[in-house]
Amino acid sequence: MKKLNWGTKLGIMASIYVIGVLIFVGFSTTQKINLVSKDYYPTGVKHQDKINKIKNAQQLETPVSIEQVGDHIEITFPADMKSGVKGDIIVYRPADYDLDLKYKLALNDSGVHILNTSNLLKGRYTIKLDWVFNDIPYYKEEAIYLSK
């Protein structure tokens, strides 16, 4: 058996390294990259507006409550907000933004929006409420864990 000199060994090791890097780069380009949301950068510009909405929601005498009850989530608004509330509910899934859902806020006579969770996968979600009442914008979000 012929003995390899140090230059040949170095060439073999460098070739193995380059092949490994190329395989890693090829594999990493096929992976899906989830940002916080699809429009992450444009929404970052509106951050101060969101901070103001959060402050408005924190100043409510009776806060909006988000509770998981069986196979649905109840979003309960204060008594003075039973009508005239307009806004959106975003069911945000941090693990995969393709599973995010958006609903229009529709309160019943008791000031409650019932959100059915039977079609959602188990796991962590963030319920994001963005609403307007008497021309004042509000925002609240709360993390929940569905464990069907």
Side-chain angles (χ1 to χ4, degrees):
M1 180 167 179
K2 187 175 179 184
K3 193 171 186 182
L4 302 174
N5 66 20
W6 68 270
T8 307
K9 291 178 186 176
L10 182 62
I12 291 171
M13 293 306 293
S15 298
I16 290 172
Y17 175 76
V18 168
I19 290 169
V21 167
L22 290 174
I23 289 172
F24 177 74
V25 168
F27 173 73
S28 64
T29 59
T30 63
Q31 299 303 304
K32 181 177 168 185
I33 299 172
N34 279 324
L35 292 174
V36 174
S37 66
K38 291 179 184 178
D39 58 346
Y40 177 75
Y41 296 106
T43 55
V45 175
K46 299 177 184 176
H47 190 65
Q48 186 59 46
D49 292 340
K50 185 175 177 183
I51 291 171
N52 294 339
K53 290 178 180 183
I54 291 170
K55 284 182 182 176
N56 290 342
Q58 289 172 340
Q59 292 172 352
L60 292 172
E61 282 184 35
T62 307
V64 173
S65 70
I66 302 171
E67 295 180 43
Q68 186 177 352
V69 181
D71 65 344
H72 64 274
I73 296 170
E74 290 184 1
I75 302 169
T76 307
F77 282 79
D80 61 334
M81 287 189 179
K82 287 184 180 179
S83 63
V85 174
K86 293 181 178 146
D88 297 313
I89 302 169
I90 297 173
V91 181
Y92 169 69
R93 173 117 169 147
D96 187 358
Y97 61 67
D98 288 332
L99 298 176
D100 292 355
L101 300 170
K102 186 174 183 179
Y103 301 98
K104 284 288 182 195
L105 202 52
L107 304 182
N108 62 19
D109 293 338
S110 302
V112 178
H113 180 100
I114 297 176
L115 189 63
N116 188 359
T117 60
S118 62
N119 58 343
L120 299 176
L121 299 173
K122 74 176 185 176
R124 184 178 184 274
Y125 290 87
T126 301
I127 306 299
K128 298 180 178 184
L129 301 174
D130 192 355
W131 77 97
V132 176
F133 178 71
N134 288 341
D135 296 324
I136 300 172
Y138 298 91
Y139 182 85
K140 178 178 180 164
E141 63 181 55
E142 191 169 313
I144 60 164
Y145 185 83
L146 298 179
S147 58
K148 293 180 186 178

